[in-house]
Amino acid sequence: MRRGKGMKFVGDSRISAERASKVPKDYSEYPGRTEAFWPNFLLKEWLAGAVFLVGFLCLVLAHPSPLEGMADPTDAAYIPLPDWYFLFLYELLKYQFASGNWIIMGILVIPGIAFGALFLAPFLDNGPGRRPRQRPVAVGMMLLGLASVIWLTYTSAAPVDWEERAEQNQPIPPGESIVDESHPGYAAYETSCLSCHGGELEGGAGPALVGGNEHSKEEIMDIAVNGIGSMPADVFQGTDEELEQLADFIIETNEAAEE
């Protein structure tokens, strides 16, 4: 049989002779949409990274890290709080279904399901479209996770007075303690006041006794016996001599803090 016009020879008549190429087009066929990886693309990435780094450094200088005092195991009134990016997990542990006998649900099961679902979202919704309405599963799960994190973080942080918390637990560098434990009034302070006002008089359940203390010696003695504000009366149970030594200790510690 001669090869005539319009005739095609194939191995199997059930297989089409018109086969589409599976080799993707070269990027050179899209003028204006490509650029060299080096140095064009990397230069843009470096510039974007440098701008972000400079902005981050400016933020650190303008708003230093809110450090607190050293951990004090004797201060039972101190309530520790995690960093802001863990506040939503901290808040989750306050609910009945994620605390107490169900603590495993709060620390492993629920976070594991949430993060696992976000990990599987691209596989559950793998359509070719990239618009939000074309990927309802992935977008819906992401919005639900984002809303949950924002709400739990807000409900955890809203009741906290951050300025008062920082004022009552200011950091004191190691080796620079202003408390003179050899002072005669320190024993009375340790017995009657330390649990509420802290080992460095920095405050805790009670207000700080250093930095802004404007009470006279007589006023301090009166407050120790009769109380003031939320502080009840009869907290101090020592002798008159010990009371006077306590007041001297507080005044002298404030003087040392101002130096």
Side-chain angles (χ1 to χ4, degrees):
M1 182 180 293
R2 293 182 302 173
R3 295 183 180 181
K5 183 178 180 180
M7 298 192 64
K8 300 176 181 179
F9 291 90
V10 296
D12 192 330
S13 61
R14 294 171 297 178
I15 302 176
S16 174
E18 300 291 341
R19 297 183 179 181
S21 175
K22 296 183 179 180
V23 179
K25 294 183 179 181
D26 189 83
Y27 283 111
S28 61
E29 298 184 25
Y30 301 92
R33 298 186 180 182
T34 61
E35 62 178 342
F37 179 77
W38 170 263
N40 300 19
F41 181 79
L42 282 183
L43 183 60
K44 291 181 179 179
E45 292 292 309
W46 289 342
L47 287 175
V51 171
F52 172 80
L53 181 60
V54 170
F56 181 75
L57 291 176
C58 292
L59 181 63
V60 171
L61 293 175
H63 299 280
S65 179
L67 300 178
E68 296 185 354
M70 296 182 63
D72 183 6
T74 64
D75 185 6
Y78 178 76
I79 301 177
L81 287 176
D83 291 318
W84 63 268
Y85 43 82
F86 283 134
L87 277 178
F88 71 99
L89 291 175
Y90 174 79
E91 181 67 18
L92 179 64
L93 298 178
K94 296 180 181 180
Y95 293 93
Q96 185 175 1
F97 59 83
S99 61
N101 295 331
W102 300 91
I103 190 66
I104 298 298
M105 293 288 293
I107 63 177
L108 290 178
V109 179
I110 296 178
I113 292 175
F115 288 106
L118 293 178
F119 176 78
L120 293 175
F123 302 96
L124 298 175
D125 196 352
N126 57 359
R130 288 296 178 264
R131 297 180 181 274
R133 65 174 181 270
Q134 294 175 328
R135 308 193 69 185
V137 176
V139 173
M141 294 174 67
M142 180 60 69
L143 291 178
L144 178 62
L146 183 62
S148 301
V149 170
I150 292 176
W151 171 251
L152 289 173
T153 302
Y154 171 77
T155 53
S156 179
V160 181
D161 189 337
W162 297 100
E163 294 182 358
E164 180 181 356
R165 181 182 177 88
E167 184 68 24
Q168 292 183 356
N169 194 21
Q170 296 182 356
I172 298 177
E176 297 184 14
S177 176
I178 59 175
V179 175
D180 181 9
E181 297 185 3
S182 62
H183 192 284
Y186 177 77
Y189 175 83
E190 186 178 26
T191 303
S192 304
C193 312
L194 188 144
S195 60
C196 292
H197 297 284
E200 296 288 336
L201 285 72
E202 74 279 8
L209 300 181
V210 291
N213 179 40
E214 300 178 353
H215 295 293
S216 63
K217 177 179 178 179
E218 290 72 18
E219 290 174 335
I220 294 175
M221 295 171 63
D222 179 69
I223 292 173
V225 175
N226 300 318
I228 186 174
S230 59
M231 176 180 173
D234 299 326
V235 172
F236 179 79
Q237 299 292 334
T239 64
D240 293 341
E241 181 182 1
E242 291 174 339
L243 179 61
E244 187 172 354
Q245 291 174 346
L246 172 63
D248 290 336
F249 169 74
I250 295 175
I251 292 176
E252 293 179 15
T253 304
N254 273 270
E255 293 175 351
E258 295 175 357
E259 294 179 356

